[in-house]
């Protein structure tokens, strides 16, 4: 197990297009988190899963954003009808026990042109 | 609501100087506090957590509940400590809340 993997590393898309990102967590971790980070800011929470259940979704997340974790393993984050304001680094993290901290992936950098 | 404040954006010191990166938090319950570090072109990684009371790479952090602070300290900075540092908090909901981060620059 090489840690948390995210794909793709970079994505450039035209405004209005849909994009989907994938995250593969550490296999024994039951919790998976999505964060967004923009320049000069710390990571902002988007949503998290415990196994396949989506337990919390940030109010920052518009209806254009949806996340799934169908079998409690990998997760996908989809953004529909992208806007320039969606340009950011999208980070995925996983944990077994949040008190021990999370393990982060390298992120997917989205640029909407 | 849980909130983490890192009041400074940049700290620049010379090699061998002491370092203190400030972090204050707001949380009504008993929080778990962490410091994360991001070196240039690397992923965000856990540096230390308050429950383990450990020292990692010479860094320590003490949770002060009275002052609601969790400052990160190192007595003698090294050039390889140059990085972005984030303070973070989690509570009963297991969600990590991050501060805005501080850039530490250690000059030779």
């Amino acid at each position: 197990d090489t840690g948390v993997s995210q794909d793709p590393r970079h994505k450039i898309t035209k405004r209005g297009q849909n994009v989907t990102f994938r995250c593969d967590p550490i296999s024994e971790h039951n919790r998976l988190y999505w964060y967004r980070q923009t320049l000069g800011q710390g990571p902002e929470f988007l949503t998290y899963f415990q196994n396949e259940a989506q337990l919390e979704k940030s109010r920052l997340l518009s209806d254009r954003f949806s996340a799934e974790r169908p079998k409690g393993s990998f997760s996908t984050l989809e953004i529909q009808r992208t806007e320039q304001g969606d340009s950011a680094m999208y980070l995925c993290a996983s944990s077994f026990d949040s008190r021990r901290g999370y393990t982060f992936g390298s992120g997917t950098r989205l640029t909407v042109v | 609501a849980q909130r983490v404040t890192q009041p400074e954006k940049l700290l620049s010191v010379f090699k061998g100087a002491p370092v203190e990166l400030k972090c204050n938090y707001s949380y009504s319950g008993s929080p778990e506090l962490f410091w994360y570090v991001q070196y240039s072109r690397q992923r965000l990684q856990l540096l230390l957590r308050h429950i383990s009371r450990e020292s990692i790479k010479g860094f320590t952090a003490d949770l002060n509940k009275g002052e609601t602070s969790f400052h990160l300290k190192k007595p003698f900075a090294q050039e390889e400590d140059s990085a972005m540092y984030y303070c973070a908090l989690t509570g009963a909901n297991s969600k990590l809340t991050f501060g805005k981060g501080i850039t530490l620059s250690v000059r030779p």
Side-chain angles (χ1 to χ4, degrees):
Chain A
D1 193 341
T2 56
V4 178
S5 299
Q6 290 188 247
D7 184 69
R9 293 292 300 272
H10 305 275
K11 178 72 177 178
I12 300 174
T13 191
K14 291 185 178 179
R15 190 174 52 184
Q17 297 294 306
N18 299 344
V19 294
T20 300
F21 311 140
R22 177 181 170 120
C23 172
D24 287 89
I26 292 174
S27 56
E28 54 267 28
H29 287 179
N30 61 345
R31 292 178 179 175
L32 185 148
Y33 308 81
W34 285 99
Y35 280 77
R36 179 171 62 190
Q37 186 173 23
T38 53
L39 199 62
Q41 301 294 319
E44 293 178 298
F45 171 80
L46 293 179
T47 188
Y48 96 92
F49 294 83
Q50 182 162 312
N51 299 313
E52 64 273 13
Q54 187 173 17
L55 296 188
E56 189 173 342
K57 191 173 173 180
S58 168
R59 281 172 280 180
L60 296 174
L61 222 55
S62 78
D63 291 342
R64 298 183 295 105
F65 287 71
S66 62
E68 294 183 341
R69 194 183 182 197
K71 297 183 180 178
S73 56
F74 73 92
S75 176
T76 58
L77 176 68
E78 181 183 17
I79 309 174
Q80 296 182 327
R81 305 181 303 282
T82 51
E83 301 172 358
Q84 286 189 320
D86 297 332
S87 295
M89 177 72 86
Y90 289 84
L91 299 170
C92 177
S94 68
S95 75
F96 181 73
D97 179 354
S98 62
R99 292 172 299 175
R100 295 181 178 274
Y102 302 174
T103 301
F104 279 86
S106 297
T108 294
R109 182 169 295 283
L110 173 66
T111 302
V112 182
V113 297
Chain B
Q2 53 194 64
R3 187 180 301 122
V4 175
T5 302
Q6 294 181 252
E8 299 156 332
K9 288 190 173 182
L10 171 67
L11 179 64
S12 183
V13 301
F14 285 107
K15 176 182 171 182
V19 166
E20 182 178 65
L21 306 182
K22 292 183 168 47
C23 173
N24 289 89
Y25 68 90
S26 172
Y27 184 68
S28 56
S30 293
E32 304 289 345
L33 274 295
F34 305 85
W35 277 97
Y36 280 80
V37 61
Q38 189 165 28
Y39 300 103
S40 179
R41 299 183 183 179
Q42 294 187 27
R43 64 183 67 190
L44 198 58
Q45 57 186 282
L46 179 64
L47 179 62
L48 56 79
R49 47 199 172 109
H50 92 269
I51 59 170
S52 58
R53 297 182 180 274
E54 55 203 344
S55 173
I56 303 292
K57 299 184 179 182
F59 284 98
T60 59
D62 291 318
L63 179 59
N64 185 323
K65 292 186 178 181
E67 296 183 358
T68 59
S69 68
F70 188 57
H71 302 328
L72 184 68
K73 299 177 183 180
K74 184 169 183 176
F76 307 105
Q78 302 300 312
E79 289 180 66
E80 55 265 31
D81 296 329
S82 295
M84 193 78 179
Y85 291 80
Y86 295 94
C87 183
L89 171 159
T90 187
N93 61 9
S94 86
K95 180 179 71 178
L96 258 185
T97 297
F98 286 86
K100 292 188 176 182
I102 180 170
T103 299
L104 174 63
S105 173
V106 182
R107 293 169 286 171

